[in-house]
């Protein structure tokens, strides 16, 4: 009794390739009550449902407004469904794959669980499988872990930050927490609150080298906050020095020339953070950090309030950099560029 008709282009929001369920032979006046069993079976199977009519002039089957048709369907067969529910389903384009409404709630459609075999690649099989278990969207963090294993950067950062805690009374090692925080920021999870869920993710437990344990999540946001509050100005200086040493170690041969770029830019604020000021040039509340690069490598990231000049402390940082570079590369030519 049911047939699938391909969609025609029209201004009602349907897309080419969409399908609508029709009742052949009834034209524009479909007796829904007579076809209740067939309609319910189609909805059980997840087939798309819509109201339609045949254009007398062209013979084309044109879909009516899905809102009206679906609201009528739901009210006819499922009194528990309200017009608002029908409208919500239409707006979310759920008429592609509708399920029966029972008790006013939409039932989930059946999921494909069997593997799908595709064309092989030489001797290798190409399959689509749906039993992947735990999956993640942050797989790139594994590459960062490999980079850190070569650079040993997290351990060296941990050595710069004092840890006054009693080793016998702690659960999270400082190195693990630094890896957790640094890797998350690199993947776009800069807010501490993000770790309320990330701490339970097996991938992040691997990235931090802590080991996977569902019963022991990583550090919580308050624990990470206490770690960050232990970082003093002296510690920041040590961490900045570490970045410079990392830059020096990246050169196998003494460079002939170094171009050091100083760039002050705005860091917009969205709350009442300490050191918050309005900057007239950027026309917003912001910080005014100073970044120092040599090529693509970061040498210094200096967080400053925005009530100062763009060159504030730039001379002191340049002096420290030049002295250190001269110690390891006496003959190097150093060019300074300011933005």
């Amino acid at each position: 009794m049911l047939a699938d008709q391909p969609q025609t282009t029209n201004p009602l929001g349907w897309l080419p390739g969409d399908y609508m369920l029709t009742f052949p032979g009834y034209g524009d006046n479909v007796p829904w009550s007579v076809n209740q069993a067939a309609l319910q079976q189609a909805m059980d199977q997840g087939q798309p449902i819509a109201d339609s009519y045949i254009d007398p002039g062209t013979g084309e089957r044109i879909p009516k407004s899905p809102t009206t048709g679906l609201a009528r369907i739901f009210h006819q067969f499922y009194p528990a469904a309200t017009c608002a529910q029908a409208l919500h389903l239409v707006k979310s384009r759920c008429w592609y794959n509708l399920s029966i409404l029972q008790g006013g709630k939409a039932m989930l459609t059946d999921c494909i669980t069997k593997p799908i075999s595709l064309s092989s690649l030489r001797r290798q099989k190409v399959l689509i499988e749906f039993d992947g278990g735990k999956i993640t969207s942050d797989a790139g963090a594994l590459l960062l872990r490999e980079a850190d294993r070569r650079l040993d950067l997290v351990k060296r950062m941990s050595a710069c930050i004092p840890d006054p805690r009693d080793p016998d009374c702690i659960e999270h090692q400082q190195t693990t927490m630094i890896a957790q925080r640094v890797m998350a920021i690199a993947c776009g999870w800069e807010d501490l609150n993000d770790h309320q869920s990330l701490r339970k993710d097996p991938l992040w437990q691997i990235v931090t080298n802590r080991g996977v344990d569902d019963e022991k999540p990583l550090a919580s946001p308050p624990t990470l906050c206490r770690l960050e509050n232990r970082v003093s100005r002296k510690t920041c200086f040590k961490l900045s020095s570490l970045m410079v040493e990392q830059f020096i170690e990246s050169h196998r041969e003494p460079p002939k020339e170094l171009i050091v770029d100083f760039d002050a830019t705005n860091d917009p604020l969205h709350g009442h953070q300490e050191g918050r000021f309005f900057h007239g040039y950027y026309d917003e509340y912001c910080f005014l950090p100073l970044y120092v690069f040599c090529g693509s490598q970061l040498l210094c990231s200096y967080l400053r309030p925005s009530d100062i000049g763009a060159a504030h402390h730039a001379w002191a940082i340049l002096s420290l950099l030049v002295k250190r570079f001269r110690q390891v590369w006496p003959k190097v030519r150093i060019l300074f560029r300011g933005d």
Side-chain angles (χ1 to χ4, degrees):
M1 296 179 63
L2 304 177
D4 290 325
Q5 298 289 338
Q7 153 60 14
T8 55
T9 305
N10 65 90
L12 296 177
W14 290 63
L15 302 176
D18 290 351
Y19 285 81
M20 53 191 166
L21 197 66
T22 61
F23 291 79
Y26 284 105
D28 190 24
N29 299 315
V30 178
W32 298 103
S33 57
V34 174
N35 291 278
Q36 178 176 354
L39 179 61
Q40 184 167 337
Q41 179 183 358
M43 296 181 74
D44 282 340
Q45 295 173 353
Q47 295 189 41
I49 309 297
D51 198 0
S52 62
Y53 70 97
I54 296 178
D55 188 333
T58 63
E60 282 189 306
R61 182 165 292 281
I62 307 298
K64 289 184 178 180
S65 170
T67 306
T68 305
L70 287 178
R72 182 172 64 177
I73 293 171
F74 288 137
H75 281 300
Q76 184 74 32
F77 301 133
Y78 311 108
T82 64
C83 186
Q85 287 174 318
L87 189 59
H88 171 72
L89 288 170
V90 171
K91 288 184 177 180
S92 61
R93 301 187 65 80
C94 285
W95 65 82
Y96 279 45
N97 197 8
L98 294 173
S99 297
I100 297 179
L101 289 179
Q102 292 183 342
K105 295 183 179 179
M107 297 176 62
L108 296 177
T109 55
D110 293 334
C111 297
I112 299 175
T113 56
K114 296 181 179 180
I116 299 176
S117 180
L118 303 178
S119 300
S120 61
L121 178 63
R122 298 183 180 91
R123 296 183 179 180
Q124 295 178 328
K125 292 183 178 181
V126 180
L127 301 174
I128 299 177
E129 296 183 342
F130 304 90
D131 56 351
K134 295 181 179 179
I135 59 177
T136 181
S137 60
D138 294 318
L142 295 173
L143 299 179
L144 296 177
R145 174 176 175 264
E146 294 302 314
D148 179 65
R149 294 186 68 176
R150 292 191 176 189
L151 300 175
D152 207 22
L153 187 59
V154 169
K155 289 184 178 179
R156 296 172 71 176
M157 291 177 63
S158 181
C160 297
I161 303 175
D163 189 358
R165 301 176 300 166
D166 186 347
D168 297 329
C169 300
I170 64 175
E171 182 177 353
H172 305 287
Q173 297 294 330
Q174 179 166 280
T175 304
T176 302
M177 291 192 292
I178 294 175
Q180 178 183 350
R181 189 71 174 113
V182 171
M183 300 296 184
I185 292 175
C187 290
W189 303 101
E190 67 271 10
D191 198 318
L192 275 176
N193 292 331
D194 296 330
H195 289 271
Q196 192 61 42
S197 57
L198 295 179
R199 62 195 295 247
K200 303 174 184 177
D201 191 325
L203 176 126
W204 289 103
Q205 295 179 10
I206 294 174
V207 166
T208 60
N209 295 315
R210 201 286 309 271
V212 179
D213 190 340
D214 293 337
E215 301 298 326
K216 294 182 179 180
L218 296 173
S220 64
T223 302
L224 294 174
C225 183
R226 288 191 290 270
L227 167 65
E228 294 186 353
N229 287 332
R230 292 206 303 270
V231 178
S232 61
R233 292 180 64 90
K234 183 178 180 180
T235 301
C236 288
F237 180 82
K238 291 182 178 180
L239 291 172
S240 297
S241 300
L242 175 59
M243 298 297 294
V244 176
E245 296 304 316
Q246 193 71 50
F247 170 76
I248 294 173
E249 294 170 7
S250 68
H251 291 77
R252 295 183 178 180
E253 300 292 337
K256 295 182 179 179
E257 181 181 86
L258 295 175
I259 301 177
V260 183
D261 291 297
F262 280 62
D263 183 16
T265 188
N266 62 316
D267 183 7
L269 299 178
H270 307 284
H272 295 273
Q273 291 91 335
E274 183 179 359
R276 170 180 180 267
F277 292 97
F278 185 85
H279 197 286
Y281 178 79
Y282 295 108
D283 194 28
E284 63 183 350
Y285 286 93
C286 60
F287 290 134
L288 192 65
L290 177 64
Y291 298 104
V292 182
F293 286 90
C294 186
S296 61
Q297 298 192 57
L298 178 66
L299 300 179
C300 179
S301 177
Y302 179 29
L303 185 63
R304 308 174 301 176
S306 60
D307 62 337
I308 58 173
H312 186 72
H313 286 165
W315 179 256
I317 295 175
L318 177 61
S319 176
L320 291 171
L321 289 174
V322 171
K323 289 179 181 179
R324 180 58 184 141
F325 291 153
R326 292 294 186 204
Q327 288 176 354
V328 291
W329 301 314
K331 298 182 180 180
V332 67
R333 182 173 181 235
I334 302 176
L335 299 181
F336 166 79
R337 292 193 305 196
D339 183 3

